[in-house]
Amino acid sequence: MEGTVKCSANYIPLSPISFLERAAIVYRDHTSVIYGDLKYKWKETRERCVRLASALAQLGISQGDVVAALAPNIPALYELHFGVPMAGAILCPLNVRYDPAMVSVLLRNSDAKVIFVDYQLLHLANGAFELLSKLKAKVPIMVVIQEVSKPPTNNDLKNSKIVYGNLEYESLLKTGQPGFEVRKPKDETDPISVSYTSGTTGSPKGVVYSHRGAYLNALAEILHNSMSPMCVYLWTVPMFHCNGWCLPWGMAALGGTNVCLRNVSAKTVYESLSRHNVTHMGGAPTILNMIVNASAAERKPIISKVEVMTGGAPPPPHVLLKMDELGFGVTHSYGMTEVYGPGTFCSWKPEWDSLPPNEKAKFKSRQGLHHVLMEEIDVKDPVTMKSVPSDGESMGEVMFRGNTVMSGYFKNQKGTKVAFDGGWYRTGDMGVRHSDGYISLKDRSEDVVCDGKNVSTIEVESVLFYHPAILEDAVCVCEVEGRFQCQC
Amino acid sequence: MEGTVKCSANYIPLSPISFLERAAIVYRDHTSVIYGDLKYKWKETRERCVRLASALAQLGISQGDVVAALAPNIPALYELHFGVPMAGAILCPLNVRYDPAMVSVLLRNSDAKVIFVDYQLLHLANGAFELLSKLKAKVPIMVVIQEVSKPPTNNDLKNSKIVYGNLEYESLLKTGQPGFEVRKPKDETDPISVSYTSGTTGSPKGVVYSHRGAYLNALAEILHNSMSPMCVYLWTVPMFHCNGWCLPWGMAALGGTNVCLRNVSAKTVYESLSRHNVTHMGGAPTILNMIVNASAAERKPIISKVEVMTGGAPPPPHVLLKMDELGFGVTHSYGMTEVYGPGTFCSWKPEWDSLPPNEKAKFKSRQGLHHVLMEEIDVKDPVTMKSVPSDGESMGEVMFRGNTVMSGYFKNQKGTKVAFDGGWYRTGDMGVRHSDGYISLKDRSEDVVCDGKNVSTIEVESVLFYHPAILEDAVCVCEVEGRFQCQC
């Protein structure tokens, strides 16, 4: 249009890095990260991330390189979500439940140049390194993240069979320059992270997120969970799972406080909620179960309402009721790694308030509709690509399109092509559309194979949800093809 | 990155049209627009906007054409914010306080093909048409918007000196096809609207907004004003002013309810707040003044807190205090047409809560910092482009850069070049930066000329704010170079 231009004054590639830059000014003295007795302010978090980026650049990391991480929800993993992109690189957070063999496969597939490893997970990294060495494959540089307040025990060090070099996280940060010129993406569709989904067949796929998608999905999460500036978020959802639903980035947009948690248990959750006035948290339905089944000794009173985002199997009515009594509000979402975490929210309508409890539960259990920054969800005949009728009965494949759909599978053109066949992302999940437009999941199109038998995954979830062993293992936001559900 | 693609599944040009498409599904039966006794649901609003787009296409409107509007905050102006872009065209909402001469200048400058005119403003449009005819200039097609519940009086018709053709808004809509294929932007930087700022010199500038900028600014408004899905917004800020700060689009993202208001007065505002459980509204400080100075007969009790976004001259402490007592929360912002309305927000910090009232007022009166989707604000030496020291004293020019900065001035390459000289948008406003990073405005670099004298505009505002005549004219969100302040 005559008179208009696209220039540095009015066009900036969308990137979550912008959120941190702003938080360091607007919320500079506000607490950014809490971990035990450790506290950082936003200006400190920014400086630490810039130092990290600088240190990575000094290690030779350049635009487009992959940097892996093996860590629970500790401050270093939060910082890696900014420090790695600020060096122009791509973060690859690995599931801490993988075995050394899987870690070695993923390090090879991602061609990671550096890996950051929590001191408690050295056995995993070392095991993977051994396997890589045997294959004469390249081994990345390892940076060990020590517990700041607690150096590794002899046992931890015993697990480290290979001398893992002399790089240590805090020492590395000290080598970084606080004045380092942050490398922002030239194009907003440049990759920011790659997350592996384990897959049912054992062949993992690297789901690539872009700066643009991460930026937009972070905003979508904030909007749908009514998260306000300076809110307090408890990290129960692993940051290695869909980059914690993009909330490491979203929390910087809000200048909020990240409460990091190494071990998730009823006790640590209640303690954190109470001590830090947590306003929001997330978690698989197992987390909800853990909360409502906590012993009296583990519980602490919840002073103000805590909003909980949950995904996957809809929580049963009695759990929802108990959560409500305890002071939690629950939002149900559905998604998968390929859509940056939650792709739908079950928006509650005021007219459902007056329904009897069983009717209410029926509505609450639906997967709902696409979030505000996702373009579209549909239930389609996977062959003809025609939408199924909105009758609540006609089955079809659930499909998404929008800016918060992955860029594709890393080094897997064929996989990407199949996933996007027809111009939509095909979830592989079967569902129906109700007369009011809302979607309900019915089953996966590719069934899960257990002991050679096809099993409806929805059935698997229902059984698992009530299994006592799941309670003990509540941290598992697990994946069957990267979906939010319990591990089979 | 190997394996990734940019395709229709994962890349959609950002456009506010997407918000309406989604609202029509997620919030389909929820009230979208209220105007007197008239109510629409979101599915109806979408259908009306599609019909409008179709009707415009049938009138020959194509990609990149300009469609003007002269109307107060009535449902038709809301619908034009979607219907016009859905026809691929550019909306040009004109200030209803312009005179026929200015309207004729702007119709020529914008080359508007169609103009929608509220029945009470026919004298303006007809006056402009007469002037255009005298100059043998092209006259756009006129569509008259009648009051749905109240046909034009003889007096209204008398004002219409020229036979204005036979197009009437509701009849036009009926000619549109509900199945029309909506024209979405091919590129998200395509223009969505052009808004004229009157300027101090009488040479108006057409500020061009893009689909991308409108989308992002709508989200920024939502975030900073903590607007939740299905909130209720009272339209006191004119939609012709910076496209109502982008909230016609933002309200569709939320599936909220737009309470339209033809005449803004203490009585109509209080009545609307009370009748419709309004949650949010906006307005110049004059609106705040009008609210606190309302007579007992005009007032109605405010049941739940109403969040008010205000811009320009910071409201004086006694007004803020009274607003608080009456049940209103006030957020102070600063901006101009060139940054899509508010470009900064004065984010309140918890540590200021305990300050004495005069200290509090000092902090509240600051312009604050850039909003979350604006990249950067700075105070710079306009010659060297160096940032001034953060000492609260060193003056410089306030400058912005980010995705919510205009695309440029329509057909005014020189003006655009000057505005973006140095890679930043130069506001022409002088300010300082405090030690905590926040910005305070001190004065305009180009003073306003009144009766041949240079006057500090900040001083003008302070005087006007207390002038009784301003109270009677509270709807004026006025412009000196498009800024939110009272008309000189």
Side-chain angles (χ1 to χ4, degrees), chain A residues 74-382:
Chain A
I74 54 173
L77 187 53
Y78 186 81
E79 291 162 355
L80 284 160
H81 274 81
F82 289 99
V84 172
M86 283 167 132
I90 302 159
L91 180 65
C92 177
L94 300 171
N95 191 323
V96 299
R97 291 172 176 267
Y98 287 150
D99 60 15
M102 180 64 106
V103 171
S104 75
V105 168
L106 302 185
L107 289 177
R108 282 190 81 179
N109 187 275
S110 66
D111 194 23
K113 300 279 187 295
V114 177
I115 182 168
F116 289 80
V117 185
D118 179 73
Y119 76 101
Q120 288 191 337
L121 299 168
L122 284 170
H123 59 288
L124 269 186
N126 287 327
F129 275 36
E130 271 184 68
L131 291 167
L132 290 172
S133 301
K134 273 184 200 157
L135 294 167
K136 297 200 180 2
K138 229 178 68 190
V139 165
I141 297 169
M142 196 196 295
V143 182
V144 180
I145 309 161
Q146 307 281 20
E147 186 75 301
V148 182
S149 54
K150 194 179 106 187
T153 61
N154 283 341
N155 201 36
D156 293 327
L157 292 172
K158 202 177 68 194
N159 279 329
S160 144
K161 288 178 198 155
I162 296 173
V163 177
Y164 50 71
N166 54 4
L167 289 179
E168 186 274 326
Y169 188 72
E170 290 297 328
S171 315
L172 182 75
L173 250 60
K174 288 198 183 86
T175 70
Q177 301 303 313
F180 173 74
E181 195 180 336
V182 172
R183 296 172 184 166
K184 297 204 177 152
K186 289 194 179 63
D187 186 304
E188 64 194 30
T189 62
D190 284 352
I192 192 170
S193 76
V194 55
S195 296
Y196 284 91
T197 62
S198 53
T200 49
T201 57
S203 73
K205 294 180 211 163
V207 176
V208 178
Y209 291 174
S210 70
H211 281 259
R212 174 183 169 98
Y215 184 95
L216 295 173
N217 203 67
L219 295 176
E221 285 290 302
I222 290 172
L223 287 166
H224 275 283
N225 297 301
S226 299
M227 297 172 83
S228 300
M230 295 180 275
C231 67
V232 183
Y233 187 69
L234 177 62
W235 276 104
T236 41
V237 173
M239 291 188 212
F240 63 71
H241 183 69
C242 313
N243 296 108
W245 306 349
C246 295
L247 278 173
W249 300 311
M251 286 303 290
L254 294 167
T257 301
N258 293 280
V259 181
C260 289
L261 208 54
R262 174 180 288 275
N263 300 305
V264 176
S265 68
K267 189 165 176 285
T268 58
V269 165
Y270 271 104
E271 263 176 16
S272 301
L273 294 175
S274 164
R275 184 172 167 199
H276 304 299
N277 289 319
V278 168
T279 57
H280 294 78
M281 60 178 285
T286 45
I287 293 275
L288 272 53
N289 234 6
M290 191 191 73
I291 288 172
V292 299
N293 287 299
S295 68
E298 288 165 334
R299 280 191 201 175
K300 286 190 185 275
I302 304 301
I303 292 148
S304 52
K305 196 171 182 177
V306 180
E307 293 295 340
V308 187
M309 316 145 203
T310 189
H318 72 273
V319 172
L320 285 175
L321 202 69
K322 226 168 167 186
M323 287 293 284
D324 189 53
E325 283 168 12
L326 288 169
F328 296 85
V330 179
T331 305
H332 174 216
S333 69
Y334 153 70
M336 57 218 57
T337 307
E338 285 84 344
V339 297
Y340 291 70
T344 74
F345 282 83
C346 186
S347 289
W348 191 251
K349 298 191 173 181
E351 57 264 37
W352 297 338
D353 282 341
S354 54
L355 292 173
N358 59 334
E359 281 291 302
K360 261 191 192 168
K362 213 171 73 185
F363 280 106
K364 193 118 198 174
S365 75
R366 306 194 306 180
Q367 275 65 30
L369 280 162
H370 52 298
H371 63 61
V372 65
L373 303 188
M374 173 68 83
E375 193 68 11
E376 224 176 328
I377 190 171
D378 201 2
V379 183
K380 287 176 174 290
D381 179 310

Side-chain angles (χ1 to χ4, degrees), chain A residues 223-224 345-351 369-372 436 438, chain B residues 19-32 40-45 228-231 250-257:
Chain A
L223 287 166
H224 275 283
F345 282 83
C346 186
S347 289
W348 191 251
K349 298 191 173 181
E351 57 264 37
L369 280 162
H370 52 298
H371 63 61
V372 65
D436 64 356
Y438 277 48
Chain B
F19 296 148
L20 179 60
E21 296 289 7
R22 179 174 168 274
I25 299 171
V26 179
Y27 306 103
R28 56 171 69 184
D29 293 314
H30 193 71
T31 304
S32 52
Y40 293 117
K41 295 173 176 179
W42 277 108
K43 64 184 176 191
E44 293 166 335
T45 291
S228 301
M230 294 181 276
C231 66
M251 286 303 289
L254 294 167
T257 300

Side-chain angles (χ1 to χ4, degrees), chain B residues 113-171:
Chain B
K113 300 280 187 296
V114 177
I115 182 167
F116 289 80
V117 185
D118 179 72
Y119 76 102
Q120 288 191 339
L121 300 168
L122 284 171
H123 58 287
L124 268 186
N126 287 326
F129 275 38
E130 271 185 68
L131 291 166
L132 290 173
S133 301
K134 273 184 197 156
L135 294 168
K136 297 200 179 2
K138 231 180 66 190
V139 165
I141 298 169
M142 197 196 292
V143 181
V144 179
I145 309 161
Q146 308 280 20
E147 187 73 303
V148 182
S149 53
K150 193 180 106 186
T153 62
N154 283 342
N155 200 39
D156 293 327
L157 292 172
K158 203 178 67 194
N159 278 328
S160 145
K161 290 178 198 154
I162 298 173
V163 176
Y164 48 71
N166 54 4
L167 290 180
E168 186 275 324
Y169 187 73
E170 290 297 328
S171 315

Side-chain angles (χ1 to χ4, degrees), chain A residues 2-3 5 22 370 411 416, chain B residues 2-3 18 22 370 407 411 416:
Chain A
E2 199 194 326
V5 292
R22 179 175 169 274
H370 52 298
K411 294 186 192 167
T416 303
Chain B
E2 199 194 325
S18 301
R22 179 174 168 274
H370 53 297
S407 305
K411 293 184 192 168
T416 303

Side-chain angles (χ1 to χ4, degrees), chain A residues 397-430:
Chain A
E397 187 175 350
V398 178
M399 302 191 191
F400 285 101
R401 53 186 286 272
N403 291 300
T404 54
V405 168
M406 65 166 179
S407 304
Y409 295 119
F410 188 37
K411 294 186 192 167
N412 185 347
Q413 280 180 334
K414 199 182 145 198
T416 303
K417 208 178 154 195
V418 169
F420 291 160
D421 186 27
W424 288 71
Y425 165 62
R426 294 162 172 259
T427 63
D429 292 341
M430 302 303 284

